């Protein structure tokens, strides 16, 4: 695969920029790197550098790949990589090249399998909120419906890494606020382009969703992702503010611009059954940030591991794995994108606590964990190249199609 590097047993050189960091909690940045490894940051584009190095962790040596991104550089920006629809997946390299990114990493956890619901399509949709180019794509699924490791205490699926229209990165929380209005009632909107809806709620699906089946949205419960699919469902299609059709079972296929499909389960289904063809319906939705301030240009889900330079309490320090994460430094003016190598020699990886410690030692004040394991992928252009190369070794032997990622753009 492009971008792979071979370890050589001789000629290990000192990584001067890393030796000063000393020991991490449960891990240390190795003072020497394999011959052929990057000895200092290599320029990918103005304001974007790439480096790699070993980390001596509690369960063995792992290998890290890092992109340093200077958001203070007027030529640099980051945005969401995604395959053009919420319910779809793509390779990080393909998404980066199609969108013109010079580098990037994989993003949020996603609906990867439906083995517990035979016959139900896995949508590929991400867990958390998503904003691309300032446009809201989706909201978060209930905590109990997420894929990925257990959330740290006091975190939720609404937590995001984001970059505001001011060009600064930050961690925040984005909650859905919306309503469904008819002449007779105003109902709360419980979901937007989500693969899972809260029990008893109504969710909206727009053209951003894609063509995947909407049945998965009515499976599981708020606390049990594997619970059976609901037997009480209803779907209403609203076009240009008017109800045009209804069905007892959620459907599939592309949704046209100007059309919203409302899917209800349990109490939500019972409310939608009151809608009649030709009735006027107004659907409103948006994501509301927990902190006041600038609107978001980019946002995607995961979970925080470092806040104000301190690891979150109770981070797992027992389970090591290949990881992907993003760090924020210099008051949001710099971003560090980290992906571990999935080659067999390094697959012991890091614990979440070690990820937080690593990013802190690299200068991050805040950090955010993204999907790992076979999803962990970091891509960057080589000097003179017009396309990106995969710089780490994905642990599955090849790139895994993922729901989204963070793209780095320059120029």
């Amino acid at each position: 695969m492009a971008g792979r590097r071979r370890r050589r047993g001789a000629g290990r050189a000192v990584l001067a920029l890393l030796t000063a960091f000393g020991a991490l909690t449960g891990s240390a940045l190795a003072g020497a790197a394999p011959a052929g490894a990057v000895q200092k940051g290599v320029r990918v584009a103005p304001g974007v550098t790439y480096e790699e190095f070993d980390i001596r962790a509690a369960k063995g040596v792992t290998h890290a790949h890092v992109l340093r991104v200077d958001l203070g550089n007027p030529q640099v920006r980051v945005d969401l990589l995604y395959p053009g629809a919420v319910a779809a997946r793509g390779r990080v390299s393909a998404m980066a090249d199609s969108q013109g990114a010079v580098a990037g990493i994989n993003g949020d956890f996603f609906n990867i399998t439906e083995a517990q619901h035979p016959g139900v399509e896995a949508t590929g949709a991400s867990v958390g909120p998503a904003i691309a180019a300032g446009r809201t794509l989706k909201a978060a699924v209930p905590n109990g419906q997420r894929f990925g490791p257990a959330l740290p205490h006091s975190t939720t699926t609404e937590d995001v890494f984001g970059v505001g229209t001011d060009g600064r990165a930050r961690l925040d929380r984005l909650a859905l606020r919306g309503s469904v209005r008819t002449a007779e009632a105003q109902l709360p909107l419980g979901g937007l382009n989500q693969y899972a809806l809260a029990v008893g709620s109504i969710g909206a699906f727009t053209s951003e969703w894609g063509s995947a089946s909407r049945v998965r949205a009515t499976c599981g419960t708020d606390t049990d992702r594997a619970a059976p699919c609901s037997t009480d469902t209803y779907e209403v299609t609203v076009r240009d503010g008017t109800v045009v059709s209804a069905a007892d079972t959620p459907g599939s296929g592309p949704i046209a611009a100007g059309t919203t499909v409302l899917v209800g389960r349990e109490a939500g289904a019972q409310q939608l059954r009151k809608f009649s063809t030709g009735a006027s319906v107004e659907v409103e939705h948006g994501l509301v940030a927990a902190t006041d301030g600038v609107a978001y240009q980019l946002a995607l889900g995961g979970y925080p591991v470092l806040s104000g330079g301190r690891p979150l309490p109770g981070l797992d320090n027992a389970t090591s794995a290949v990881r992907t994460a993003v760090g924020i430094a210099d008051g949001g003016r710099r971003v560090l994108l980290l992906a571990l190598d999935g080659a067999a020699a390094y697959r012991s990886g890091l614990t979440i606590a070690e990820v937080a410690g690593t990013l802190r030692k690299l200068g991050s004040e805040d950090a955010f964990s993204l999907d790992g394991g076979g999803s962990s992928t970091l891509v960057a252009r080589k000097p003179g190249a017009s396309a990106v190369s995969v710089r780490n070794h994905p642990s599955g032997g090849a790139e895994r199609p993922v729901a989204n990622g963070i793209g780095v753009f320059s120029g």
Side-chain angles (χ1 to χ4, degrees), residues 263-274:
V263 174
R265 55 178 299 178
E266 297 89 30
Q270 294 162 27
Q271 291 287 351
L272 289 182
R273 288 190 185 96
K274 300 176 183 178

Side-chain angles (χ1 to χ4, degrees), residues 94-161:
M95 293 188 291
D97 286 339
S98 67
Q99 293 179 226
V102 299
I105 60 171
N106 65 288
D108 196 1
F109 302 86
F110 59 94
N111 175 207
I112 190 171
T113 179
E114 283 303 321
Q116 295 146 328
H117 302 119
V120 175
E121 176 184 357
T123 66
S126 62
V127 168
I131 295 175
R135 189 176 72 258
T136 296
L137 300 181
K138 69 177 298 292
V141 302
N143 285 351
Q145 288 269 20
R146 68 183 296 276
F147 286 76
L151 287 172
H153 178 68
S154 78
T155 65
T156 84
T157 55
E158 294 178 348
D159 285 303
V160 297
F161 163 80

Side-chain angles (χ1 to χ4, degrees), residues 3 32 74 87 93 117 126 130 212 243 259 291 310 323 333 368 383 385 402 405:
S93 60
H117 302 119
S126 62
V243 174
T259 299
T291 57
R310 295 186 176 185
R323 311 279 185 182
R333 296 176 183 87
F368 199 71
V402 298

Side-chain angles (χ1 to χ4, degrees), residues 218-220 228-233 265-266:
T218 61
C219 299
C229 300
S230 175
T231 57
D232 186 5
T233 64
R265 55 178 299 178
E266 297 89 30

